[in-house]
Amino acid sequence: MTDLSALEADLTKAIAAAADEAALEAVRVAALGKAGSISALLKTLGAMTPDERKEKGPLINGLRDRVSEALTTKRDALKSAALDQRLQSERVDVTLPLPQSAAARGRIHPISQVIDELTTIFADMGFSVAEGPDIETDFYNFTALNFPVGHPAREMHDTFFFNPNEKGERKLLRTHTSPVQVHTMMSVKPPIRVIIPGRTYRCDSDQTHTPMFHQVEGLVIDKGSHLGHLKWILAEFCKSFFEVDDVKMRFRPSFFPFTEPSVEVDIQCSRKGGEIRFGEGEDWLEILGCGMVHPNVIRNCGLDPDEYQGFAWGMGIDRIAMLKYGMPDLRPFFEADMRWLSHYGFRPLDLPTLAGGLSV
Ligand code: DAH
């Protein structure tokens, strides 16, 4: 008969020595598994006489119970040691700042922001948004807008022309958003009240001019609109856009082939240290041209100038963006420099609203 105390001592030692759960499982199988030493002892009980069984039964069962308990205790100890070790090595410092997601780091370009801002303002006044192509024909960009062929005003626009086709006609990059006035009047029955934001192109480059820039055109055509309405709209727009109660504006007589009379509008600013600032100083920055739509233009678009009249304006979006946000130079707008964009850009979820603020 096996020496139970020697077996118990061996198993207790083996349990104590098990360094991990796998080693402990091996000890368990060797003792309590199908072919284990304690299982073998339990099997001998069946062949014993009742007296023998009475004596050995409690001893063998007692051994089995103590070994099982020792195994369980050791398994719990190994598990909690393993957990402690994981907690140590996987420690999280909850005081560290969260890394910003790509979506949170992204910025809206000031031009997109300003287009959203001005669309919000004009939409509130009942304007809808119209669009037209960047590549235009001479007819839409000039002729329909009452630029006579060979007129010096065409030269003033420093146009980018494409190569002529077989008929000798040259397409061009639109030099202003005004051709969309023509597309609109030719396709929409008055009353018309639209704004037309978009890209425009001229062969020109310095601190306040880039070869590609942005304009927003406005067009109102109906039966009774006049310059007084235009002046009110522009003043209201400037107050909302610059978020002030009063804006100093200057209306100067001017000339555009497509308007009569024509007016240029300047806004007061300071240009100290090369930086253009709105709401201070004694300088002026031209921000738009406007006027009553010329009867010839109305006629060129298939409408009767004796029935319809209205006004239009064309404003430099980049200029008003520079003025509002104190940006000294126009050129970085188009350089795609992440540092510039993260400084001057806007958070994507801060959408401009008239109630919540335009430039939050
Ligand atoms: N198209 C003109 C330009 O680019 C701006 C302009 C002036 C637009 C007067 C207008 C207007 O609609 O009425 O210089």
Side-chain angles (χ1 to χ4, degrees):
M1 172 83 211
T2 320
D3 179 344
L4 291 186
S5 7
L7 178 59
E8 183 163 357
D10 282 352
L11 287 173
T12 309
K13 226 157 96 199
I15 291 171
D20 55 31
E21 287 190 69
L24 189 65
E25 177 63 7
V27 177
R28 190 194 66 78
V29 171
L32 299 171
K34 251 194 202 147
S37 48
I38 296 180
S39 309
L41 286 173
L42 287 166
K43 277 183 207 147
T44 62
L45 288 175
M48 289 180 189
T49 62
D51 284 346
E52 247 183 333
R53 197 179 303 133
K54 222 182 212 165
E55 185 205 332
K56 301 281 183 197
L59 295 177
I60 296 174
N61 280 318
L63 171 65
R64 184 203 50 203
D65 292 349
R66 286 192 299 282
V67 168
S68 295
E69 201 183 306
L71 282 166
T72 308
T73 311
K74 178 71 178 186
R75 182 173 305 117
D76 289 349
L78 285 174
K79 270 205 173 117
S80 89
L83 182 63
D84 281 350
Q85 204 183 12
R86 262 188 70 193
L87 286 174
Q88 276 299 328
S89 61
E90 295 176 13
R91 193 183 216 115
V92 177
D93 183 350
V94 291
T95 64
L96 284 176
L98 285 175
Q100 271 199 321
S101 67
R105 280 197 312 274
R107 288 291 177 271
I108 301 288
H109 193 284
I111 294 297
S112 305
Q113 170 81 11
V114 164
I115 290 176
D116 285 350
E117 290 179 15
L118 59 87
T119 303
T120 302
I121 297 168
F122 284 117
D124 194 54
M125 292 189 203
F127 284 78
S128 51
V129 174
E131 285 181 314
D134 287 16
I135 297 174
E136 270 299 0
T137 60
D138 185 88
F139 173 77
Y140 285 103
N141 197 79
F142 292 123
T143 308
L145 288 165
N146 200 35
F147 285 80
V149 176
H151 192 280
R154 288 180 183 241
E155 307 300 318
M156 278 162 49
H157 276 215
D158 290 322
T159 314
F160 287 111
F161 285 102
F162 288 83
N163 289 333
N165 64 12
E166 49 304 339
K167 285 190 238 145
E169 297 156 344
R170 294 183 299 177
K171 291 226 168 147
L172 49 88
L173 288 173
R174 66 180 179 191
T175 58
H176 50 176
T177 41
S178 304
V180 190
Q181 284 190 29
V182 181
H183 289 289
T184 306
M185 280 190 268
M186 287 179 129
S187 58
V188 179
K189 197 176 146 28
I192 293 171
R193 203 179 290 172
V194 289
I195 56 161
I196 303 146
R199 295 193 189 96
T200 46
Y201 306 83
R202 284 182 210 178
C203 195
D204 206 355
S205 183
D206 62 30
Q207 196 180 346
T208 51
H209 295 88
T210 48
M212 192 277 289
F213 58 106
H214 298 83
Q215 286 189 338
V216 58
E217 193 85 7
L219 176 69
V220 171
I221 299 288
D222 54 27
K223 295 188 173 173
S225 288
H226 54 71
L227 269 186
H229 297 141
L230 170 63
K231 232 181 133 183
W232 181 87
I233 287 175
L234 294 176
E236 285 306 303
F237 166 76
C238 285
K239 282 195 272 179
S240 294
F241 180 75
F242 291 108
E243 299 176 65
V244 292
D245 294 333
D246 195 25
V247 177
K248 292 229 172 69
M249 299 170 83
R250 187 168 76 172
F251 292 77
R252 281 182 289 111
S254 185
F255 171 79
F256 301 104
F258 36 90
T259 43
E260 183 57 40
S262 302
V263 180
E264 273 178 318
V265 178
D266 305 329
I267 200 157
Q268 196 180 35
C269 68
S270 107
R271 291 175 192 255
K272 253 188 252 138
E275 193 168 322
I276 298 172
R277 283 198 170 281
F278 165 75
E280 49 186 82
E282 289 304 318
D283 272 317
W284 298 93
L285 183 74
E286 182 201 321
I287 58 161
L288 66 92
C290 60
M292 295 301 293
V293 179
H294 198 292
N296 287 350
V297 176
I298 294 183
R299 194 173 299 114
N300 290 342
C301 296
L303 298 173
D304 179 359
D306 291 328
E307 187 179 2
Y308 293 112
Q309 65 179 42
F311 50 80
W313 71 87
M315 181 159 51
I317 293 180
D318 320 81
R319 292 262 177 108
I320 60 169
M322 289 170 80
L323 204 52
K324 179 167 180 179
Y325 294 111
M327 300 157 178
D329 195 329
L330 185 55
R331 289 164 292 195
F333 276 57
F334 310 112
E335 282 168 3
D337 182 341
M338 284 300 290
R339 291 162 305 174
W340 184 88
L341 194 55
S342 62
H343 179 74
Y344 284 113
F346 294 81
R347 289 172 201 282
L349 295 178
D350 291 342
L351 295 179
T353 67
L354 285 176
L358 292 167
S359 51
V360 273

